[in-house]
Amino acid sequence: MPHRAVSAALVLLTALVGLAPAKAAGGMAAGQPFLDTLEPATLGLLERRGFGFGATFGRGDAASNAALHEASPAYRQLTTTVIADVAELRRDMEATGRKLYEITDGNVGRVFETSWMSAPTAKFGLVGVVLRLDRRDFAPAPRQAETCGEVRLVYRLGYRFQRAGRTYASRMPFSVNVVHDLRPGEGGCASLARATRVPADLPTPEARAAWLATTVLAGATGRPKQVEINAQVVRFPSGQETTFGGQAAYLMRVFGVTDAGIIEKPLENTPDAARLKADAALRDDLARFLTERSGEIDRGVVLLPERFLATKAISFSTYGSARLANRPFAQAFGRDGQAFAGLAFASMTTAASPAGFIERLDAGTCQGCHQSGATAGFHLIGEDAPDASPVNRVLIGYSPHLHAERPRRAAYAEAVAAGREPNRYRPLPLSPPARWGGEGVPLFQRASLGQACLPDSQRRHVAAGFTCEGRATCQELAENAALGVSFGQCVLNDKRDEYSGQACLTGRIATDPIRPWLDRFAVTGQVNSRAARINARDHTCRPPVGGAPAGLAYRQCDEADRRFVGFRPGQTPPNEICGFAGGRAFDICVATNDFANCLGGSIVRGMRATCSAERLCREDFMCQALPSDLPDVGRVAGLGYCSPTYFLFQMRLDGHPDPRRRS
């Protein structure tokens, strides 16, 4: 098919189906412990079996956000709280000159249109079911015998409607995690772990949904333990944040559901940094607690008392793993953590210094975890429905952290099922996958290209480190004097190894300790991709003003690239692939708030990093699916291309239709 025909076909939202999502081994593999499922067909059937979002509030028949908002006082209260939180953040930002708009075609800040939460065209759809037997480690001591962990139903905001004969549909970056406690039945947790091993005879979505409903989700009815929100509520485009490559802020909340409505709950292990800085006695109290529990902290299994905790957090990207805003312990105790200088670091397995101890603590907070090894602030994104726009479709619906966590959770479940003591150690969320066995720190794999790594200069702070694979260099990309530990990213800087999509620029973050949206990034160097002009042979370094944090190594696709000639069955795929890129037409499309009408014709082919179920994208990028009608696309089945996260409309709060418009 000529490319003009491809572009024209892409305009229709439901005309094409993208490549089938890659299936990651271990999520729901026959004969293995059930860990999670992201399969849309199975999840849709579960919603029809009574596991829709409305059931969280006792309104399982609510088919839209409007219906749920009308029927449920608890949901209305939750919506009112989110609206107030967004309004407060907006006031704070606008007081510093950063004006925000719900619907705009300008190069300005954008704020979440809260009308989506009560729109008749929108709903929270089920995108994941996750079994967490390992969460038993975080139950308070008196409840250890009463729980076997948690099962979680993850929902994402989305919309679907018809207008002028066209279907408008997309998901949005607003997730709700509904958490149910797992109660031990007869036979205890070992029996439950054995019962949730995936049987071999589940060939269809119907069979999988039926099995999940009667095993994993058998106790996930009625009132949940809690409801957790993670929502992108502000976004500044790269045209404003020309060196950051864009910025976004995410609201994080936890609620309990009661007969009377909802109640605010503290965020687990997430201290209220502002209150601690203002109250020396409370800060000293926390320091004593942390010192006494330093061994548990080093293993990653501490549970902080509620008196220290925040009830709301705002996390920030881009460069989320290097932002002080996502490190509340560093805010409260300082980057060097001198309050903990007296700890016995020689006997620890993760932290090797006071600064490393602070990093260990921060990595266990809500914002620290969701901006470390994450994808656009999330760990579970979910897979797209078959009729999703082929140019708004993710290939891999989970983060590098969730990918690395699956082997750990599987080993934990196997131990529980066998009646053995599981390995309760938890790595830092930036860690790569590991081989789990025995106790303590596992044997980490070498970090793959684009993934986080620990530079040699930082090993004095973190004992449980990890290095890059092959000829890759662990390159520090974002220096931040406000943080005590710096991580790097695995890149190939030698000209013979360069590939499209990798980071090519280093820089320095200047932190505003009170107003993180005023943080600034200055480019300080270039480490690869030095071609002077864009061409199809050598790599040039595209600046972050185009939406690529840390820059983007890039070359044009040639005809062989367009037909995926270098990809051969059974061989390791090349590091770069001819995917899609933006440009002037893409920017114009973004400004229309009508991506369904123009997106297909506004993108061009361009080289990007290759990604797959086992080969994930770097920070601030995600694995996007290739449209299924590209010439010779069968050669790259199961592969996608790494795109800046905010190039996908489903991962940005703006660019969507106005939910208040009726026609």
Side-chain angles (χ1 to χ4, degrees), residues 520-542:
R520 285 294 169 259
F521 186 88
V523 174
T524 58
Q526 183 174 338
V527 293
N528 59 59
S529 307
R530 302 181 187 278
R533 292 182 298 276
I534 296 176
N535 63 86
R537 185 185 63 186
D538 299 317
H539 295 85
T540 185
C541 181
R542 308 309 299 154

Side-chain angles (χ1 to χ4, degrees), residues 235-527:
R235 196 180 78 83
F236 295 108
S238 59
Q240 277 195 312
E241 299 288 350
T242 58
T243 54
F244 261 127
Q247 273 206 80
Y250 297 79
L251 171 67
M252 310 185 84
R253 279 279 203 174
V254 178
F255 300 102
V257 182
T258 70
D259 288 335
I262 63 167
I263 56 171
E264 294 182 359
K265 296 185 71 173
L267 305 181
E268 184 177 279
N269 288 343
T270 302
D272 189 329
R275 189 158 53 91
L276 287 165
K277 287 192 289 185
D279 188 336
L282 185 66
R283 188 170 63 251
D284 291 344
D285 185 16
L286 177 56
R288 283 191 295 271
F289 174 86
L290 298 175
T291 299
E292 293 168 358
R293 303 296 181 89
S294 60
E296 295 172 37
I297 292 165
D298 189 61
R299 293 189 296 276
V301 291
V302 74
L303 185 67
L304 267 62
E306 292 187 2
R307 65 182 182 276
F308 302 122
L309 303 181
T311 56
K312 178 176 69 173
I314 306 291
S315 76
F316 285 82
S317 70
T318 53
Y319 293 96
S321 63
R323 303 286 291 273
L324 180 64
N326 303 325
R327 298 293 189 263
F329 282 98
Q331 295 174 44
F333 291 105
R335 52 162 279 171
D336 297 322
Q338 286 306 305
F340 308 104
L343 295 179
F345 292 106
S347 64
M348 294 189 184
T349 57
T350 305
S353 73
F357 190 69
I358 292 293
E359 174 62 28
R360 180 51 147 160
L361 287 163
D362 276 326
T365 64
C366 290
Q367 59 269 58
C369 181
H370 277 272
Q371 293 293 345
S372 298
T375 298
F378 301 96
H379 290 306
L380 194 156
I381 300 109
E383 297 173 357
D384 289 297
D387 61 352
S389 166
V391 286
N392 187 33
R393 176 186 291 275
V394 300
L395 181 70
I396 305 303
Y398 49 85
S399 71
H401 172 57
L402 195 156
H403 172 63
E405 273 280 276
R406 280 172 165 164
R408 183 189 71 80
R409 296 177 190 175
Y412 191 104
E414 292 279 20
V416 172
R420 302 193 310 268
E421 182 70 14
N423 186 346
R424 302 183 190 278
Y425 178 82
R426 280 167 168 73
L428 296 171
L430 284 170
S431 302
R435 183 180 299 121
W436 288 85
E439 282 295 315
V441 180
L443 180 62
F444 290 114
Q445 297 177 12
R446 291 184 179 271
S448 57
L449 293 177
Q451 298 307 300
C453 53
L454 187 71
D456 289 341
S457 64
Q458 302 300 303
R459 295 186 182 279
R460 68 186 188 276
H461 299 308
V462 179
F466 33 92
T467 57
C468 298
E469 66 180 12
R471 294 200 298 268
T473 297
C474 186
Q475 179 73 56
E476 293 185 55
L477 298 176
E479 177 187 345
N480 189 341
L483 301 182
V485 178
S486 297
F487 289 89
Q489 196 171 107
C490 297
V491 299
L492 292 172
N493 288 334
D494 193 305
K495 189 176 188 307
R496 61 176 174 164
D497 297 323
E498 290 173 351
Y499 67 97
S500 295
Q502 71 171 339
C504 52
L505 298 175
T506 61
R508 181 180 299 113
I509 296 174
T511 294
D512 188 307
I514 306 298
R515 301 161 299 184
W517 56 91
L518 298 182
D519 287 0
R520 285 294 169 259
F521 186 88
V523 174
T524 58
Q526 183 174 338
V527 293

Side-chain angles (χ1 to χ4, degrees), residues 71-102:
S72 170
Y75 179 70
R76 286 198 299 274
Q77 188 181 352
L78 183 150
T79 299
T80 299
T81 303
V82 171
I83 291 172
D85 288 343
V86 172
E88 180 182 11
L89 182 62
R90 184 178 197 168
R91 285 193 300 270
D92 290 344
M93 289 184 170
E94 293 188 343
T96 64
R98 308 225 58 178
K99 194 161 180 61
L100 303 172
Y101 300 84
E102 284 88 352

Side-chain angles (χ1 to χ4, degrees), residues 16-212:
L16 297 174
V17 177
L19 293 176
K23 304 300 181 190
M28 192 173 178
Q32 301 298 315
F34 173 82
L35 303 176
D36 55 69
T37 183
L38 284 64
E39 183 187 30
T42 297
L43 297 169
L45 290 166
L46 285 172
E47 287 187 281
R48 292 192 283 277
R49 280 177 168 264
F51 295 99
F53 182 62
T56 305
F57 305 95
R59 300 291 180 176
D61 57 341
S64 70
N65 285 352
L68 184 58
H69 192 269
E70 181 178 356
S72 170
Y75 179 70
R76 286 198 299 274
Q77 188 181 352
L78 183 150
T79 299
T80 299
T81 303
V82 171
I83 291 172
D85 288 343
V86 172
E88 180 182 11
L89 182 62
R90 184 178 197 168
R91 285 193 300 270
D92 290 344
M93 289 184 170
E94 293 188 343
T96 64
R98 308 225 58 178
K99 194 161 180 61
L100 303 172
Y101 300 84
E102 284 88 352
I103 307 295
T104 177
D105 60 1
N107 183 33
V108 294
R110 294 90 188 271
V111 66
F112 175 59
E113 173 51 80
T114 54
S115 296
W116 284 115
M117 298 189 71
S118 55
T121 56
K123 60 174 274 190
F124 285 91
L126 186 63
V127 297
V129 173
V130 183
L131 183 63
R132 295 294 304 273
L133 298 177
D134 63 302
R135 287 290 303 166
R136 183 172 184 265
D137 296 347
F138 291 91
R143 292 198 61 248
Q144 285 280 330
E146 302 172 8
T147 181
C148 292
E150 298 170 353
V151 61
R152 302 175 169 191
L153 295 101
V154 183
Y155 301 87
R156 268 188 74 186
L157 177 62
Y159 60 85
R160 175 179 293 274
F161 61 91
Q162 295 277 334
R163 181 183 293 164
R166 183 181 299 280
T167 298
Y168 291 77
S170 180
R171 299 184 297 177
M172 298 181 72
F174 190 131
S175 289
V176 181
N177 181 23
V178 178
V179 182
H180 289 267
D181 204 14
L182 281 174
R183 300 286 180 170
E186 186 176 347
C189 296
S191 177
L192 190 150
R194 290 191 292 271
T196 54
R197 186 183 297 275
V198 181
D201 55 342
L202 300 177
T204 64
E206 291 77 9
R208 291 189 284 275
W211 179 77
L212 287 166

